[in-house]
Amino acid sequence: MDRFILARIGGILGGVGLLSVLVVRPETNALVLSIIFLLLAMIPFFIRFERQVLNSHALVLIAVHAALAVAGRVAFASLPSVQATTFIIIMSGLAFGAEAGFMTGALAALVSNMFLGQGPYTLWQMFAWGMVGLTAGWWRQSRWMKSKPGKMIFGFCWGLLYGWILNTWFVLGFLEVSWKGYVMACVTSFSMDMLHALSNLFFLAFFSTSWLAIAERYKRKYGLFLDNSLEERGVAGG
């Protein structure tokens, strides 16, 4: 079985395991337990990416996208929830595939928090933004994701989903673990989540076409990601 599939299964089982433990033993330190499961869910993706045979151009391209995603967050730090980071992560997944999208998202969260402050939320941000890039890569060949409205709907939905994922760590760390507490957290954060979703709509509406066109030219110039599949490529050289 493909290791990428195993990684997905591991993430799903980790989430199911977390919920099971919380139901059976609600007094458990849920935040610590959730961090352990997040690590177990993400480590396979990092291991798989590390084992890929990529040339220097491919690595630089992913690093540049991660750096731009960091800049897209830091530059908009004075405007809560309004940032270009999610847009750039989506572009990375669409242009270069699921694994590149995941790495861009995870690195963007980790590095940007070196400027904005690290905390227990960092792993949750790495996971959430990693999933943005991963799902963009998974669905990049679908008909609806090849259309601008499809990309905009995808970005809008992830603007809300990102906030809901981050609300999970807040509830586990600061509130009594319950569905009522989670729903209240989502209601409280709704305005910020909506700003995130709307900013994704804006960037995707006005910049996605030109961004993907530039990425496509770069890919063809250097012969990178032409099959849109890191797991099958095995690019060597420098």
Side-chain angles (χ1 to χ4, degrees), residues 30-111:
L31 183 59
V32 173
L33 190 62
S34 67
I35 289 174
I36 293 173
F37 279 116
L38 281 179
L39 288 171
L40 291 175
M42 290 192 292
I43 285 175
F45 293 107
F46 288 108
I47 293 175
R48 181 179 176 83
F49 183 85
E50 191 274 334
R51 290 179 176 175
Q52 301 300 320
V53 183
L54 302 175
N55 68 19
S56 57
H57 294 300
L59 293 174
V60 168
L61 193 57
I62 295 172
V64 167
H65 270 76
L68 289 173
V70 171
R73 185 183 181 202
V74 175
F76 290 91
S78 60
L79 301 173
S81 295
V82 177
Q83 36 78 11
T85 303
T86 305
F87 160 74
I88 297 171
I89 294 168
I90 292 173
M91 292 297 99
S92 181
L94 290 176
F96 312 125
E99 291 171 302
F102 175 83
M103 290 301 298
T104 300
L107 289 174
L110 179 64
V111 177

Side-chain angles (χ1 to χ4, degrees), residues 76-235:
F76 290 91
S78 60
L79 301 173
S81 295
V82 177
Q83 36 78 11
T85 303
T86 305
F87 160 74
I88 297 171
I89 294 168
I90 292 173
M91 292 297 99
S92 181
L94 290 176
F96 312 125
E99 291 171 302
F102 175 83
M103 290 301 298
T104 300
L107 289 174
L110 179 64
V111 177
S112 63
N113 279 353
M114 293 180 182
F115 298 93
L116 302 176
Q118 302 283 1
Y121 46 81
T122 298
L123 275 177
W124 289 86
Q125 291 173 327
M126 291 175 65
F127 176 79
W129 266 323
M131 291 300 104
V132 172
L134 191 73
T135 52
W138 280 349
W139 295 330
R140 67 189 181 279
Q141 299 296 348
S142 62
R143 182 179 303 176
W144 63 278
M145 278 293 277
K146 291 183 178 181
S147 67
K148 181 174 288 187
K151 295 183 185 72
M152 292 171 65
I153 293 172
F154 178 84
F156 182 86
C157 291
W158 261 114
L160 298 177
L161 287 171
Y162 176 89
W164 297 344
I165 291 173
L166 267 292
N167 285 339
T168 304
W169 89 264
F170 177 78
V171 172
L172 294 177
F174 298 100
L175 303 178
E176 180 181 352
V177 179
S178 66
W179 285 111
K180 180 179 179 181
Y182 179 77
V183 171
M184 288 302 298
C186 290
V187 170
T188 302
S189 69
F190 179 76
S191 60
M192 294 298 182
D193 297 337
M194 183 58 67
L195 284 175
H196 185 183
L198 292 175
S199 66
N200 291 346
L201 273 182
F202 172 82
F203 288 114
L204 287 165
F206 289 98
F207 302 109
S208 60
T209 302
S210 57
W211 191 291
L212 289 175
I214 293 172
E216 187 64 27
R217 288 199 296 270
Y218 194 98
K219 285 161 57 179
R220 296 198 175 278
K221 178 178 180 180
Y222 293 101
L224 305 173
F225 307 103
L226 295 183
D227 61 0
N228 282 320
S229 175
L230 283 176
E231 56 266 31
E232 297 175 359
R233 184 174 59 259
V235 178

